[in-house]
Amino acid sequence: MPTDHEPPLPRRADMVDLFAGPGGLDVAARWLGLDVYGFEWDRNACATRAAAGLNERPHDVRDFGPADVPGAWILTGGPPCQTFTVAGSGAGRKALDEVLGYVDRMGAGDDVSGDLACLEDERTGLVLEPLRWALEADERGSPYKVIVLEQVPAVLPIWKRMGDVLEGIGYHVVADVLRTEQFGVPQTRRRAILIARLRGEPELPTATHRPYRKGIDRTLGAADLLPWETMGDALNRGYDFQVISNYGTGGDPKLRGRRSSREPAATVTGKISRNQIIDSTGFPCPRFSPGEAGRLQTFPLDYPWSGGDIAQQIGNAIPPVLALHVLSAAMGSQVSHEDAMKVVDRPWLDTCDSAPLDYLQRVGLLFS
């Protein structure tokens, strides 16, 4: 899908994003004034990237390495989660010990690419690609100064083992699971996050909002934290509604999960377009549009979703506001909720012309 206006590799960038999808981390990077080059192979996601003004040529990260984007000082990645998520095949979870062994071997300098091809599901091995890139960059004498990785919670043991390897080549590392609603995302979702830095001790971002607890009033809790964000406030439909999930609860397909518009959304997945919505009288309402589903992930409402399988694109993405907090923390800063909402509510194409947070001006020479 290359186009005449897209420069060929190699090109310079501040940040390389592996498994970039339709742009979750790329959107946050753009808000922060970072020039990002994303590697993504899915042509539907690339169609959205093209419409959003992001680089759009399909790539397989296994065919490239740090030499292909010289000068980049940040490495990020959110490998495919299908084999690790509870709703997926489970092949990654079953192969966890095997994958951890591959991490150790990579740290010892072994080439494990041939062994990865023997895994039950080849997508499982993709979780190791960011480590390959980091190790190759270090061997070239131009290590990334900041590394940020995200995945489903089941991958946390892999991130921690990767952290051991990265610490062995000079990085300082922190890894844990974050809850999206604690960062102003109107959705409950948990992500395993790794931050590694060459200089200074990294810290995970500080929560700005209270954790969601079913049946607990959002105004109750720590006084220094904001109430969690609701679907109603995010979408502004003008009426109360209830979302009936496509998923069964407790394994019973008849027990559909329900959330009201005065709560955060349940985890947004590729099946969000199948969720039913009813008003307070039980009357059916329009289902979520792509813009609304994207907004529950904290993409701007006008983000130009394109190509096919849009619901899956949206469900696979990291919420840009969570990415904004994580990237900022990785570079030693904290973004306020007010600044985060300012960029979410800004028309996306306006962001293409300028970086609303001018982040690099505030970072200064910290990573030069």
Side-chain angles (χ1 to χ4, degrees), residues 14 71-75 142-147 171-172 196-200 330-331 365-368:
D14 296 305
W73 53 281
I74 305 171
L75 174 68
S142 54
Y144 295 104
K145 297 172 182 177
V146 175
I147 299 173
Y171 284 92
H172 305 277
R197 285 174 48 162
L198 278 181
R199 298 184 187 177
M331 291 180 281
L365 300 177
L366 181 60
F367 292 96
S368 63

mmCIF file of all heavy atoms in Angstrom, residues 14 71-75 142-147 171-172 196-200 330-331 365-368:
data_model
loop_
_atom_site.group_PDB
_atom_site.id
_atom_site.type_symbol
_atom_site.label_atom_id
_atom_site.label_comp_id
_atom_site.label_asym_id
_atom_site.label_seq_id
_atom_site.Cartn_x
_atom_site.Cartn_y
_atom_site.Cartn_z
ATOM 1 N N ASP A 14 11.769 10.182 16.103
ATOM 2 C CA ASP A 14 12.044 10.126 17.540
ATOM 3 C C ASP A 14 11.698 8.750 18.094
ATOM 4 O O ASP A 14 12.371 8.242 18.995
ATOM 5 C CB ASP A 14 11.199 11.172 18.296
ATOM 6 C CG ASP A 14 11.532 12.593 17.910
ATOM 7 O OD1 ASP A 14 12.718 12.965 18.003
ATOM 8 O OD2 ASP A 14 10.610 13.322 17.506
ATOM 9 N N GLY A 71 18.451 6.966 14.265
ATOM 10 C CA GLY A 71 18.224 8.167 15.072
ATOM 11 C C GLY A 71 17.091 8.061 16.054
ATOM 12 O O GLY A 71 16.957 8.922 16.932
ATOM 13 N N ALA A 72 16.237 7.042 15.953
ATOM 14 C CA ALA A 72 15.127 6.914 16.900
ATOM 15 C C ALA A 72 15.668 6.627 18.297
ATOM 16 O O ALA A 72 16.543 5.774 18.470
ATOM 17 C CB ALA A 72 14.190 5.797 16.457
ATOM 18 N N TRP A 73 15.141 7.313 19.296
ATOM 19 C CA TRP A 73 15.632 7.141 20.670
ATOM 20 C C TRP A 73 14.585 6.538 21.610
ATOM 21 O O TRP A 73 14.875 6.248 22.769
ATOM 22 C CB TRP A 73 16.155 8.459 21.228
ATOM 23 C CG TRP A 73 15.213 9.636 21.152
ATOM 24 C CD1 TRP A 73 14.948 10.413 20.073
ATOM 25 C CD2 TRP A 73 14.446 10.174 22.220
ATOM 26 N NE1 TRP A 73 14.044 11.402 20.385
ATOM 27 C CE2 TRP A 73 13.730 11.284 21.711
ATOM 28 C CE3 TRP A 73 14.286 9.832 23.565
ATOM 29 C CZ2 TRP A 73 12.866 12.038 22.496
ATOM 30 C CZ3 TRP A 73 13.432 10.608 24.350
ATOM 31 C CH2 TRP A 73 12.736 11.690 23.799
ATOM 32 N N ILE A 74 13.382 6.320 21.091
ATOM 33 C CA ILE A 74 12.322 5.671 21.848
ATOM 34 C C ILE A 74 11.863 4.441 21.068
ATOM 35 O O ILE A 74 11.620 4.522 19.862
ATOM 36 C CB ILE A 74 11.109 6.602 22.058
ATOM 37 C CG1 ILE A 74 11.522 7.918 22.722
ATOM 38 C CG2 ILE A 74 10.035 5.903 22.899
ATOM 39 C CD1 ILE A 74 10.402 8.942 22.752
ATOM 40 N N LEU A 75 11.729 3.314 21.758
ATOM 41 C CA LEU A 75 11.167 2.103 21.177
ATOM 42 C C LEU A 75 9.899 1.749 21.938
ATOM 43 O O LEU A 75 9.912 1.659 23.170
ATOM 44 C CB LEU A 75 12.157 0.937 21.292
ATOM 45 C CG LEU A 75 11.640 -0.438 20.836
ATOM 46 C CD1 LEU A 75 11.419 -0.458 19.325
ATOM 47 C CD2 LEU A 75 12.601 -1.541 21.256
ATOM 48 N N SER A 142 24.041 2.033 19.547
ATOM 49 C CA SER A 142 23.077 3.138 19.576
ATOM 50 C C SER A 142 21.803 2.675 20.276
ATOM 51 O O SER A 142 20.749 2.593 19.648
ATOM 52 C CB SER A 142 22.776 3.623 18.162
ATOM 53 O OG SER A 142 22.366 2.535 17.339
ATOM 54 N N PRO A 143 21.889 2.345 21.569
ATOM 55 C CA PRO A 143 20.714 1.821 22.278
ATOM 56 C C PRO A 143 19.610 2.861 22.393
ATOM 57 O O PRO A 143 19.867 4.072 22.424
ATOM 58 C CB PRO A 143 21.280 1.459 23.659
ATOM 59 C CG PRO A 143 22.451 2.369 23.838
ATOM 60 C CD PRO A 143 23.052 2.497 22.467
ATOM 61 N N TYR A 144 18.376 2.371 22.435
ATOM 62 C CA TYR A 144 17.253 3.270 22.668
ATOM 63 C C TYR A 144 17.368 3.838 24.086
ATOM 64 O O TYR A 144 17.733 3.125 25.025
ATOM 65 C CB TYR A 144 15.927 2.526 22.503
ATOM 66 C CG TYR A 144 15.703 2.049 21.098
ATOM 67 C CD1 TYR A 144 15.872 0.703 20.768
ATOM 68 C CD2 TYR A 144 15.337 2.932 20.085
ATOM 69 C CE1 TYR A 144 15.680 0.257 19.472
ATOM 70 C CE2 TYR A 144 15.144 2.496 18.784
ATOM 71 C CZ TYR A 144 15.318 1.153 18.478
ATOM 72 O OH TYR A 144 15.138 0.722 17.194
ATOM 73 N N LYS A 145 17.035 5.105 24.234
ATOM 74 C CA LYS A 145 17.109 5.737 25.545
ATOM 75 C C LYS A 145 15.877 5.445 26.394
ATOM 76 O O LYS A 145 15.947 5.467 27.620
ATOM 77 C CB LYS A 145 17.307 7.246 25.377
ATOM 78 C CG LYS A 145 18.621 7.581 24.676
ATOM 79 C CD LYS A 145 18.723 9.051 24.328
ATOM 80 C CE LYS A 145 20.032 9.327 23.584
ATOM 81 N NZ LYS A 145 20.138 10.740 23.158
ATOM 82 N N VAL A 146 14.764 5.179 25.728
ATOM 83 C CA VAL A 146 13.506 4.880 26.413
ATOM 84 C C VAL A 146 12.830 3.723 25.698
ATOM 85 O O VAL A 146 12.794 3.687 24.459
ATOM 86 C CB VAL A 146 12.561 6.101 26.414
ATOM 87 C CG1 VAL A 146 11.207 5.740 27.011
ATOM 88 C CG2 VAL A 146 13.179 7.270 27.172
ATOM 89 N N ILE A 147 12.299 2.766 26.448
ATOM 90 C CA ILE A 147 11.532 1.653 25.891
ATOM 91 C C ILE A 147 10.210 1.566 26.646
ATOM 92 O O ILE A 147 10.199 1.615 27.881
ATOM 93 C CB ILE A 147 12.287 0.318 26.019
ATOM 94 C CG1 ILE A 147 13.610 0.378 25.246
ATOM 95 C CG2 ILE A 147 11.437 -0.846 25.512
ATOM 96 C CD1 ILE A 147 14.500 -0.843 25.448
ATOM 97 N N TYR A 171 19.926 -0.844 31.422
ATOM 98 C CA TYR A 171 18.667 -0.131 31.596
ATOM 99 C C TYR A 171 18.189 -0.200 33.050
ATOM 100 O O TYR A 171 18.539 -1.123 33.788
ATOM 101 C CB TYR A 171 17.580 -0.723 30.701
ATOM 102 C CG TYR A 171 17.694 -0.353 29.246
ATOM 103 C CD1 TYR A 171 18.397 -1.170 28.360
ATOM 104 C CD2 TYR A 171 17.097 0.800 28.747
ATOM 105 C CE1 TYR A 171 18.505 -0.845 27.016
ATOM 106 C CE2 TYR A 171 17.193 1.131 27.406
ATOM 107 C CZ TYR A 171 17.904 0.308 26.542
ATOM 108 O OH TYR A 171 18.013 0.644 25.219
ATOM 109 N N HIS A 172 17.375 0.782 33.423
ATOM 110 C CA HIS A 172 16.600 0.746 34.660
ATOM 111 C C HIS A 172 15.161 0.471 34.238
ATOM 112 O O HIS A 172 14.640 1.122 33.332
ATOM 113 C CB HIS A 172 16.700 2.079 35.403
ATOM 114 C CG HIS A 172 18.118 2.501 35.673
ATOM 115 N ND1 HIS A 172 18.846 2.048 36.748
ATOM 116 C CD2 HIS A 172 18.936 3.327 34.981
ATOM 117 C CE1 HIS A 172 20.049 2.573 36.725
ATOM 118 N NE2 HIS A 172 20.137 3.361 35.658
ATOM 119 N N ALA A 196 11.455 1.205 30.415
ATOM 120 C CA ALA A 196 12.897 1.072 30.627
ATOM 121 C C ALA A 196 13.579 2.364 30.195
ATOM 122 O O ALA A 196 13.206 2.946 29.176
ATOM 123 C CB ALA A 196 13.447 -0.118 29.840
ATOM 124 N N ARG A 197 14.553 2.782 30.994
ATOM 125 C CA ARG A 197 15.313 4.001 30.678
ATOM 126 C C ARG A 197 16.796 3.735 30.884
ATOM 127 O O ARG A 197 17.189 3.016 31.802
ATOM 128 C CB ARG A 197 14.885 5.152 31.586
ATOM 129 C CG ARG A 197 13.548 5.750 31.242
ATOM 130 C CD ARG A 197 13.084 6.779 32.248
ATOM 131 N NE ARG A 197 14.104 7.762 32.599
ATOM 132 C CZ ARG A 197 13.838 8.929 33.176
ATOM 133 N NH1 ARG A 197 12.604 9.256 33.470
ATOM 134 N NH2 ARG A 197 14.807 9.758 33.466
ATOM 135 N N LEU A 198 17.614 4.363 30.036
ATOM 136 C CA LEU A 198 19.054 4.281 30.226
ATOM 137 C C LEU A 198 19.520 5.215 31.326
ATOM 138 O O LEU A 198 20.503 4.932 32.006
ATOM 139 C CB LEU A 198 19.788 4.619 28.920
ATOM 140 C CG LEU A 198 19.918 3.500 27.888
ATOM 141 C CD1 LEU A 198 20.678 4.004 26.680
ATOM 142 C CD2 LEU A 198 20.621 2.287 28.474
ATOM 143 N N ARG A 199 18.825 6.335 31.487
ATOM 144 C CA ARG A 199 19.214 7.312 32.501
ATOM 145 C C ARG A 199 18.102 7.489 33.519
ATOM 146 O O ARG A 199 16.948 7.734 33.155
ATOM 147 C CB ARG A 199 19.501 8.670 31.859
ATOM 148 C CG ARG A 199 20.634 8.689 30.858
ATOM 149 C CD ARG A 199 20.861 10.105 30.373
ATOM 150 N NE ARG A 199 21.820 10.165 29.292
ATOM 151 C CZ ARG A 199 22.139 11.287 28.651
ATOM 152 N NH1 ARG A 199 21.566 12.431 29.005
ATOM 153 N NH2 ARG A 199 23.017 11.275 27.664
ATOM 154 N N GLY A 200 18.436 7.402 34.775
ATOM 155 C CA GLY A 200 17.461 7.670 35.830
ATOM 156 C C GLY A 200 16.514 6.522 36.066
ATOM 157 O O GLY A 200 16.254 5.711 35.175
ATOM 158 N N ALA A 330 7.533 7.798 31.125
ATOM 159 C CA ALA A 330 8.798 7.228 30.672
ATOM 160 C C ALA A 330 9.847 8.303 30.468
ATOM 161 O O ALA A 330 11.051 8.037 30.556
ATOM 162 C CB ALA A 330 8.582 6.449 29.374
ATOM 163 N N MET A 331 9.398 9.534 30.204
ATOM 164 C CA MET A 331 10.322 10.643 30.003
ATOM 165 C C MET A 331 10.348 11.589 31.193
ATOM 166 O O MET A 331 10.767 12.736 31.094
ATOM 167 C CB MET A 331 9.959 11.364 28.703
ATOM 168 C CG MET A 331 10.252 10.495 27.491
ATOM 169 S SD MET A 331 9.866 11.259 25.906
ATOM 170 C CE MET A 331 8.097 11.032 25.853
ATOM 171 N N LEU A 365 16.953 18.867 27.475
ATOM 172 C CA LEU A 365 18.129 18.068 27.142
ATOM 173 C C LEU A 365 18.198 16.771 27.946
ATOM 174 O O LEU A 365 19.228 16.114 27.965
ATOM 175 C CB LEU A 365 19.392 18.898 27.386
ATOM 176 C CG LEU A 365 19.520 20.190 26.568
ATOM 177 C CD1 LEU A 365 20.789 20.937 26.964
ATOM 178 C CD2 LEU A 365 19.531 19.888 25.091
ATOM 179 N N LEU A 366 17.103 16.407 28.613
ATOM 180 C CA LEU A 366 17.132 15.252 29.507
ATOM 181 C C LEU A 366 17.618 13.996 28.792
ATOM 182 O O LEU A 366 18.378 13.198 29.359
ATOM 183 C CB LEU A 366 15.727 14.998 30.079
ATOM 184 C CG LEU A 366 15.585 13.822 31.056
ATOM 185 C CD1 LEU A 366 16.469 14.033 32.268
ATOM 186 C CD2 LEU A 366 14.134 13.643 31.465
ATOM 187 N N PHE A 367 17.209 13.830 27.523
ATOM 188 C CA PHE A 367 17.577 12.616 26.820
ATOM 189 C C PHE A 367 18.494 12.865 25.629
ATOM 190 O O PHE A 367 18.610 12.027 24.755
ATOM 191 C CB PHE A 367 16.310 11.882 26.358
ATOM 192 C CG PHE A 367 15.516 11.322 27.497
ATOM 193 C CD1 PHE A 367 14.447 12.015 28.024
ATOM 194 C CD2 PHE A 367 15.865 10.124 28.069
ATOM 195 C CE1 PHE A 367 13.716 11.510 29.087
ATOM 196 C CE2 PHE A 367 15.158 9.600 29.132
ATOM 197 C CZ PHE A 367 14.075 10.305 29.644
ATOM 198 N N SER A 368 19.133 14.024 25.592
ATOM 199 C CA SER A 368 20.007 14.336 24.457
ATOM 200 C C SER A 368 21.342 13.628 24.603
ATOM 201 O O SER A 368 21.688 13.136 25.674
ATOM 202 C CB SER A 368 20.214 15.837 24.365
ATOM 203 O OG SER A 368 20.874 16.307 25.527
#
